[in-house]
Amino acid sequence: MNDDDRRRPVVRAAVGAVALLATGALIALVVVRPESPSFTGIEQIPLPGGADLGDRPYEVTAEFGDVLSLAPQSSVKVNDVAVGRVTRIALAPDGWRARVTMRVNGKIELPANSYARLEQSSLLGEKFIQLAPPPEGTARGSLASGGRIPHSRTNRNPEVEEVFGALSLLLNGGGVNQLKTITTELNKALAGQEPQIRSMLNRVDTLVTNLDGNKGDITRALDGVNRLAATLATRKQDVGTVLTGLSPGLKVLEKQRGSLLTMLRSLDTLSTVAVDTINRSKADMIADLKALAPTLKALADSGQDLPDSLQVLLTYPFTDEVLRGVKGDYLNVYLDVTALPGTQIIPALTPDPPGIPPLPPAEGEGAAARGALPLPLPLPAVSGTPKPGASGTSKPGASGTPKPGASKPEMEATP
């Protein structure tokens, strides 16, 4: 071995020592003068080859339900192009979510309602945050420094471990082993029932179509139920009072349950008897109604005559025609006093003959003698001729002449 070969390892060691010392000095410089005053670890040291943040980067935060193994200094991308990096990961104030702070290049313009997704570069690659604008036509505002992306606009991709765990659960004791049993039982149940199944599916389709067509009515009905529930909630005390007041009544009903059952049984028996009675008398009732038909038809044909007759009936025994026979304040009548033996004498109520003045009342009899006699309607005399100014009754075969001035006739018998 010559001297050159002996010097080479020494030179290499010296170069390595110098490089190690330079790296240590650089690390010491960074540790002594960190980029951020809140330096907490080596993960805050910017790595070479990261995203260019520009001169005026802006800072935004996003809330995730789970950030998995995301670490600070991870990339922030837009359309798979690195435009920023994660600067801080902390627990949100509610204690259930993770808050991720990011710094994005100031030249990147995004809407205020952008989305943030936690993705992975490859199957086993690093994790990064992908910022994406909302669907076209729904963008609003501009994402600026201090912007916040809520949990409703963040999500994450499933982990490889989660996929394999779900697959393992499915293959080992999961539903795959039961698919054959389920398929076999379905085939047995549906075999030979194809028309019925098809009809059922058609009816289900019709039902779903009708429900979809009445979607507005169903929504309004649910809104009405919601308003009713709100009203009942505000009147809870009144409802409680009503229910409390119903308790004594319910107790009384409970005590009288036997009587109520007896009454209902009696009503059932009565209804049975009534139905049987109606069934038995149906033919007779129909016959009676048919027999009443001519009478009802005659009443209908009488028209206005029946009301006119009823008006006259209310004036019995003195109809409107009697007024023509009233002279002054009393009524003169002629009475036939000639009758056959055994025949009832019927007085005839007729007006005074023309030219005969009314008789004055008798002395001492007063107004009672001038009163109108309650006699029936004018009837023809049985026999004989009425004498002017005479009234009264006599025995069969008797005759006489009334004294002048007497309203009640005094008859003088003639043998």
Side-chain angles (χ1 to χ4, degrees):
M1 180 180 298
N2 52 25
D3 295 336
D4 294 335
D5 294 336
R6 293 175 181 174
R7 291 192 187 96
R8 287 175 183 173
V10 177
V11 173
R12 291 174 183 172
V15 172
V18 172
L20 182 60
L21 290 174
T23 305
L26 178 62
I27 294 174
L29 179 62
V30 172
V31 172
V32 173
R33 298 181 65 185
E35 180 184 8
S36 173
S38 59
F39 181 78
T40 58
I42 195 172
E43 68 274 1
Q44 291 189 349
I45 299 175
L47 300 178
D52 182 13
L53 299 181
D55 298 335
R56 296 180 180 179
Y58 59 89
E59 191 173 83
V60 296
T61 59
E63 292 185 357
F64 290 86
D66 188 0
V67 292
L68 302 176
S69 59
L70 182 69
Q73 303 301 327
S74 297
S75 298
V76 177
K77 298 183 179 181
V78 175
N79 293 331
D80 293 329
V81 177
V83 296
R85 65 173 178 264
V86 177
T87 59
R88 186 167 178 262
I89 300 175
L91 192 64
D94 60 4
W96 293 96
R97 299 183 177 92
R99 174 174 291 178
V100 178
T101 306
M102 302 167 282
R103 299 186 72 187
V104 183
N105 193 319
K107 297 180 181 180
I108 302 301
E109 296 181 357
L110 292 170
N113 56 343
S114 298
Y115 289 80
R117 297 192 299 268
L118 181 61
E119 297 182 0
Q120 199 166 354
S121 59
S122 62
L123 186 62
L124 298 176
E126 66 172 351
K127 293 180 174 59
F128 63 92
I129 293 179
Q130 181 85 259
L131 298 178
E136 185 177 358
T138 60
R140 64 177 183 274
S142 177
L143 189 63
S145 182
R148 176 178 170 273
I149 301 177
H151 178 260
S152 59
R153 296 203 303 270
T154 62
N155 60 11
R156 68 177 183 88
N157 292 339
E159 287 282 279
V160 177
E161 294 84 355
E162 295 174 351
V163 174
F164 281 117
L167 183 61
S168 175
L169 179 63
L170 181 65
L171 297 178
N172 299 324
V176 174
N177 295 333
Q178 301 174 2
L179 286 178
K180 182 179 179 181
T181 304
I182 295 172
T183 305
T184 303
E185 295 299 327
L186 283 176
N187 290 334
K188 290 181 180 179
L190 301 179
Q193 305 292 333
E194 291 82 3
Q196 291 81 355
I197 299 299
R198 188 179 296 107
S199 176
M200 183 193 70
L201 293 177
N202 291 333
R203 291 196 296 269
V204 170
D205 180 68
T206 303
L207 174 62
V208 173
T209 303
N210 292 335
L211 290 177
D212 183 70
N214 296 316
K215 183 166 52 179
D217 297 337
I218 294 174
T219 303
R220 285 191 293 272
L222 293 177
D223 292 339
V225 172
N226 186 26
R227 289 192 297 271
L228 175 61
T231 303
L232 291 178
T234 56
R235 299 181 180 179
K236 185 187 301 183
Q237 185 176 0
D238 298 337
V239 175
T241 303
V242 171
L243 294 178
T244 304
L246 284 176
S247 180
L250 295 177
K251 290 181 181 179
V252 173
L253 290 177
E254 177 66 21
K255 292 179 180 180
Q256 297 181 355
R257 181 182 178 185
S259 302
L260 291 175
L261 292 177
T262 303
M263 180 189 70
L264 293 177
R265 293 192 186 98
S266 301
L267 286 176
D268 181 65
T269 304
L270 176 62
S271 64
T272 304
V273 174
V275 170
D276 182 67
T277 302
I278 292 174
N279 290 334
R280 290 174 180 271
S281 62
K282 180 171 62 177
D284 297 337
M285 186 178 296
I286 294 174
D288 293 341
L289 293 176
K290 289 181 178 179
L292 281 175
T295 304
L296 298 176
K297 185 177 182 302
L299 288 175
D301 294 340
S302 64
Q304 192 62 27
D305 296 339
L306 181 59
D308 295 342
S309 301
L310 294 177
Q311 291 178 2
V312 174
L313 181 63
L314 296 177
T315 63
Y316 180 84
F318 301 107
T319 64
D320 295 340
E321 294 296 330
V322 176
L323 297 177
R324 299 179 181 179
V326 178
K327 306 299 182 179
D329 57 351
Y330 59 92
L331 179 66
N332 287 334
V333 297
Y334 294 94
L335 184 63
D336 184 7
V337 295
T338 303
L340 296 176
T343 304
Q344 184 180 359
I345 300 175
I346 302 176
L349 184 61
T350 58
D352 288 341
I356 301 179
L359 297 176
E363 295 181 358
E365 294 184 2
R370 299 194 300 268
L373 298 177
L375 299 178
L377 292 175
L379 297 175
V382 176
S383 62
T385 303
K387 298 180 180 180
S391 63
T393 57
S394 64
K395 295 181 181 180
S399 64
T401 303
K403 297 181 179 180
S407 61
K408 292 184 178 179
E410 297 178 1
M411 310 301 295
E412 296 179 0
T414 303

